[in-house]
Amino acid sequence: MDSYYVTTPIYYVNDAPHIGHAYTTILADVLSRYHRLLGVPTYFLTGTDEHGQKVADAAKKAGISPLEHCDKTVVRFQELWERLGISNDDFIRTTETRHSEVVQEILQDLYDRDEIYRGDYEGWYSVTEEVFYTEKDLVDGKTPEGNTVEKIVESNYFFRMSKYQDWLIEKIESDPQFIQPDFRRNETLGFLRKPLGDLCISRPKSRMDWGIELPFDRDYVCYVWFDALVNYISAIGYRRDEKQFSEWWPATCHLIGKDILTTHTVYWPTMLQAMGVPQPKTVFAHGWWLLGDAKMSKSKGNVVDPMAMSEQYGVDPFRYFLLAEMTLGSDSSFSEDLFITRYNTDLANDLGNFASRVTKMIHTNFDGEIPAPGEPGEDEAALAKAVLDAVAAVESSIESIALDRGIAAVLGAVGEANRYFDKTRPWTLAKEGKREELAVVLYAGAEALRILSGLLFPVMPEKMSELRRTLGIADDSIVPGIDELRTWGGLEAGTSLGEAAVLFPRIDARKDDAAKKGQAGGGKGKGNDNKKAKGKAAMSNEATKDNETEGVAKIGFDDFTKVELRTARVLEAERVPDTDKLLRLQLEVGDERRQIVAGIAAYYEPEAIVGKTIVIVANLKPAKIRGVESNGMLLAAKTGDTLRVVTADGEIASGASVG
Ligand code: MSP
């Protein structure tokens, strides 16, 4: 790849930023950072859409000019992106002359070449979506998205979009990369089965004057979408700086949400074709963040404020969660519980725990210096393979934009690394004074951590910098390059480690009071959910499952009786889709039916567990694991690569108490 140019949609400037906006921008950021890591020259653009009826209305309400209103509100996006560590190269506002002048030149050129003509318009208009609809597009008198429309009859200017219909169908059919994922491509092709009309690209100023004036008729302004789409080329020097423009265009990936598919895969390509500009390489439409079953949006008043989330839980965990949780292309539900579960599982228990195991043991046993790699054996080779496979998986996920898969592969390798320690038991080697063997294990562990932290660097730049510094990686190598990640054995023996801090303190969802005291920042956000969450969760500084700690804390009998153990019969079992580890089990517990999710899929085929009488913790608070409700936890014994579910010895009724 010679160069990479990634864009987000430009956000309506007077919207309050929510996690839907944050998601696209973080996705673009992480893709940019991965491409830079691959050594590909990269340009990342975001910005704001500042014209149109809604901005005009909001400014009027506030009693200020539209531009003043934009200047005030744009700051919310700019501050949020700074807060979230977004590495955009440019931020375009459609009210800037570098943009509006280019739009006017394009309009004039298209008008001169009869691509734009004057005609009469009669139809329906949605102010919310800033989109025109014909009678047949409406569903029960509203837009397909359910927004109200108003009738418009007026003289206007039209772009001859219809004449490009056959060309566009042919382009989409012959270029599978052009619209992704596949099912969105089919959606656009479905849309194009109906005759395509011409596009009304003007608004009479008498009705709405907040927009770019048509150069050939001063009584009109440009339709906001026609104006907005041009940002993707005006920002990189179209008609101004040929060198800059040809450096980035058309090596483009437009990231969008599924609701703006038609504007990006019908309006935009036909506009470009009329202008004689090559088509972008890819338009990728992701799904929506939902709250319950509803799309998060300002008009519904159900938004989650990204600023408040990042203040409460930290920027990097928030970035991680959004990317890891959403299967690219599909919708995803957001909930604070889901966030906490994923944080505790992936970051606190798996990655944080492994990092703390490696670094603490090197500090304790080798004076904080990376030991010599020694003679690696089969286990080390298997670990190296698992880690290097994760590198390959991340590379392929960058190519396919499905970063959630790459991230899952990295976490899979972190799991392998933890299992490697469980198997090689470095704490026992230390106790027995087997220093050479211990050196082999700790070197391999540190090396795995070096590569895995590099792979996660684009997702969590701050936290992974911290971890890489702890590993003794020099400042100029903190930002990784792909070559060093593809090679096992990069750490040098004798390098001094930095301080080992707890990277991801566990969030204890029960520590209500501690939460109120221990909140970072205090969350300015207005999102109801965040307010709720403040009293619900707290970061604790306890290390997670710290296996190297000698001696286990003793508990009293009373503590034990708090745990309600019961027998349960497994009635049904199935894999949780899109996961490697999870089985969903339907249980009979006495008279009750309940569902639990268990991380045993790597050890049990679903059929093998059905019919068994197992033991569960019956009084755990329900949790959602990967969006699936789990009402309890089964007991299992684990050593090295072996895991066995605890079962009753012989016949016993389900629901019986175990103690
Ligand atoms: N201004 C236009 C885009 C012009 S691009 C030339 C616009 N702006 S928007 O602010 O309403 O939306 C911007 C993006 O945010 C869209 O891609 C939209 O899909 C996305 N999201 C808005 N709500 C969303 C969710 N609840 N979930 C995920 N993304 C969603 O449209």
Side-chain angles (χ1 to χ4, degrees):
M1 203 186 291
D2 296 336
S3 70
Y4 182 70
Y5 172 40
V6 65
T7 66
T8 72
I10 48 173
Y11 304 107
Y12 288 128
V13 71
N14 57 330
D15 276 2
H18 59 67
I19 63 165
H21 307 125
Y23 173 72
T24 322
T25 312
I26 292 170
L27 177 63
D29 182 62
V30 175
L31 283 166
S32 302
R33 288 174 186 266
Y34 272 128
H35 281 87
R36 290 183 204 125
L37 182 154
L38 290 171
V40 177
T42 297
Y43 202 79
F44 166 17
L45 175 71
T46 187
T48 40
D49 193 350
E50 306 198 345
H51 292 124
Q53 182 89 54
K54 278 184 282 182
V55 174
D57 290 349
K60 202 166 166 195
K61 215 168 147 193
I64 49 178
S65 77
L67 188 56
E68 278 173 324
H69 176 71
C70 294
D71 288 346
K72 271 187 154 175
T73 48
V74 68
V75 183
R76 290 185 297 192
F77 283 99
Q78 289 168 331
E79 284 178 355
L80 178 64
W81 301 154
E82 197 168 326
R83 163 81 196 169
L84 295 181
I86 303 300
S87 63
N88 52 309
D89 294 287
D90 195 0
F91 185 101
I92 189 156
R93 301 178 55 186
T94 52
T95 45
E96 291 173 83
T97 46
R98 64 166 171 155
H99 171 74
S100 55
E101 285 178 3
V102 171
V103 172
Q104 286 188 318
E105 283 178 30
I106 291 169
L107 286 165
Q108 186 68 54
D109 175 54
L110 294 180
Y111 184 68
D112 293 345
R113 293 194 286 110
D114 193 35
E115 295 281 349
I116 288 177
Y117 64 93
R118 189 172 179 136
D120 287 328
Y121 181 79
E122 187 176 338
W124 300 92
Y125 185 64
S126 155
V127 176
T128 319
E129 296 164 31
E130 310 251 19
V131 168
F132 283 109
Y133 287 96
T134 58
E135 189 76 44
K136 66 174 177 1
D137 294 330
L138 300 182
V139 183
D140 298 332
K142 291 189 170 177
T143 74
E145 302 261 328
N147 293 308
T148 53
V149 285
E150 58 188 64
K151 180 119 194 204
I152 304 267
V153 184
E154 63 197 17
S155 175
N156 261 314
Y157 288 89
F158 292 83
F159 162 52
R160 294 192 191 282
M161 186 161 74
S162 58
K163 79 178 203 199
Y164 296 103
Q165 178 162 15
D166 292 343
W167 163 82
L168 183 58
I169 293 172
E170 156 68 23
K171 163 75 187 163
I172 296 172
E173 280 178 343
S174 64
D175 182 357
Q177 270 199 330
F178 186 45
I179 305 177
Q180 292 183 45
D182 255 9
F183 58 95
R184 295 280 172 230
R185 179 168 164 249
N186 292 335
E187 209 174 299
T188 302
L189 284 171
F191 177 85
L192 288 169
R193 256 180 240 124
K194 284 189 275 177
L196 188 61
D198 288 342
L199 183 66
C200 178
I201 55 103
S202 65
R203 297 286 173 279
K205 279 190 188 167
S206 54
R207 184 157 65 78
M208 211 286 297
D209 68 353
W210 181 235
I212 298 174
E213 194 173 85
L214 297 191
F216 44 82
D217 190 337
R218 303 194 55 187
D219 290 337
Y220 288 84
V221 291
C222 180
Y223 167 44
V224 67
W225 268 103
F226 195 94
D227 153 5
L229 287 159
V230 170
N231 92 87
Y232 298 133
I233 54 176
S234 63
I236 51 163
Y238 176 63
R239 284 178 166 264
R240 291 289 178 277
D241 182 343
E242 190 42 44
K243 189 166 163 286
Q244 190 199 18
F245 184 62
S246 60
E247 199 176 341
W248 306 117
W249 195 268
T252 313
C253 174
H254 291 314
L255 298 176
I256 60 164
K258 64 180 183 180
D259 50 330
I260 53 175
L261 185 71
T262 309
T263 48
H264 281 81
T265 59
V266 179
Y267 298 4
W268 183 226
T270 54
M271 284 166 65
L272 287 167
Q273 187 67 2
M275 288 180 225
V277 174
Q279 296 300 318
K281 198 169 143 217
T282 298
V283 177
F284 193 103
H286 62 70
W288 284 338
W289 281 97
L290 310 174
L291 214 57
D293 292 333
K295 183 193 176 205
M296 210 174 280
S297 74
K298 187 180 147 197
S299 48
K300 294 204 179 78
N302 63 348
V303 296
V304 174
D305 177 0
M307 196 64 116
M309 278 298 289
S310 67
E311 278 173 0
Q312 184 168 3
Y313 295 112
V315 169
D316 281 0
F318 177 60
R319 289 169 59 105
Y320 175 85
F321 172 77
L322 290 184
L323 287 196
E325 188 66 27
M326 187 179 261
T327 304
L328 202 66
S330 317
D331 291 347
S332 235
S333 278
F334 181 88
S335 84
E336 203 110 10
D337 286 344
L338 220 53
F339 175 90
I340 293 173
T341 304
R342 187 178 267 280
Y343 174 99
N344 280 342
T345 312
D346 290 6
L347 299 182
N349 285 357
D350 287 1
L351 179 59
N353 180 51
F354 185 65
S356 117
R357 283 168 141 188
V358 171
T359 50
K360 272 195 197 161
M361 291 204 71
I362 294 180
H363 271 292
T364 320
N365 295 286
F366 292 94
D367 287 336
E369 285 182 6
I370 305 265
E375 292 287 323
E378 262 177 37
D379 290 333
E380 287 69 38
L383 176 63
K385 180 172 182 315
V387 170
L388 296 177
D389 284 351
V391 178
V394 167
E395 288 189 59
S396 102
S397 81
I398 300 168
E399 177 76 28
S400 63
I401 319 182
L403 296 183
D404 54 301
R405 279 190 227 147
I407 293 172
V410 177
L411 260 290
V414 172
E416 285 300 322
N418 271 312
R419 281 191 283 282
Y420 166 75
F421 263 33
D422 291 342
K423 184 169 182 200
T424 52
R425 304 184 70 75
W427 41 92
T428 310
L429 298 176
K431 233 183 253 166
E432 292 170 354
K434 297 180 172 163
R435 284 186 64 79
E436 276 176 30
E437 286 168 54
L438 180 62
V440 171
V441 172
L442 293 184
Y443 182 88
E447 186 54 16
L449 210 49
R450 176 186 70 82
I451 296 177
L452 297 172
S453 65
L455 287 178
L456 288 176
F457 186 89
V459 184
M460 297 188 282
E462 287 296 320
K463 287 288 179 187
M464 292 305 102
S465 294
E466 215 179 292
L467 175 54
R468 289 166 72 76
R469 241 170 248 128
T470 304
L471 286 173
I473 295 174
D475 277 352
D476 57 2
S477 308
I478 293 285
V479 180
I482 190 65
D483 290 341
E484 63 195 84
L485 302 184
R486 284 181 188 142
T487 325
W488 182 265
L491 281 175
E492 263 186 55
T495 309
S496 293
L497 296 194
E499 274 300 305
V502 178
L503 266 188
F504 300 106
R506 237 186 117 71
I507 301 174
D508 186 341
R510 288 158 307 169
K511 282 193 178 172
D512 287 11
D513 295 338
K516 282 170 202 142
K517 280 187 227 142
Q519 264 168 54
K524 307 182 203 155
K526 295 200 198 97
N528 293 338
D529 258 56
N530 292 308
K531 280 197 191 136
K532 233 191 314 164
K534 273 182 219 159
K536 202 165 65 178
M539 307 289 231
S540 83
N541 269 316
E542 297 149 25
T544 48
K545 44 173 179 174
D546 205 347
N547 289 12
E548 58 184 290
T549 315
E550 285 181 41
V552 176
K554 300 280 190 289
I555 58 165
F557 184 70
D558 282 357
D559 288 322
F560 175 67
T561 55
K562 284 182 194 152
V563 181
E564 192 192 318
L565 298 176
R566 292 197 178 277
T567 54
R569 184 131 31 245
V570 183
L571 303 175
E572 290 165 33
E574 60 174 355
R575 280 176 193 279
V576 176
D578 300 329
T579 70
D580 294 327
K581 293 188 189 151
L582 302 179
L583 290 187
R584 181 210 308 257
L585 307 181
Q586 305 298 342
L587 305 178
E588 176 206 80
V589 187
D591 294 337
E592 191 197 329
R593 285 280 297 260
R594 56 161 99 185
Q595 168 174 297
I596 67 168
V597 175
I600 57 170
Y603 308 93
Y604 284 87
E605 288 303 323
E607 311 77 73
I609 189 100
V610 172
K612 288 195 192 302
T613 300
I614 63 174
V615 177
I616 62 164
V617 181
N619 60 340
L620 271 188
K621 282 190 185 160
K624 271 205 171 161
I625 303 176
R626 291 296 189 96
V628 183
E629 175 105 33
S630 184
N631 276 306
M633 182 177 91
L634 58 68
L635 297 191
K638 185 157 186 273
T639 162
D641 284 340
T642 311
L643 177 143
R644 287 284 156 245
V645 169
V646 173
T647 53
D649 176 25
E651 272 303 308
I652 177 103
S654 73
S657 122
V658 178

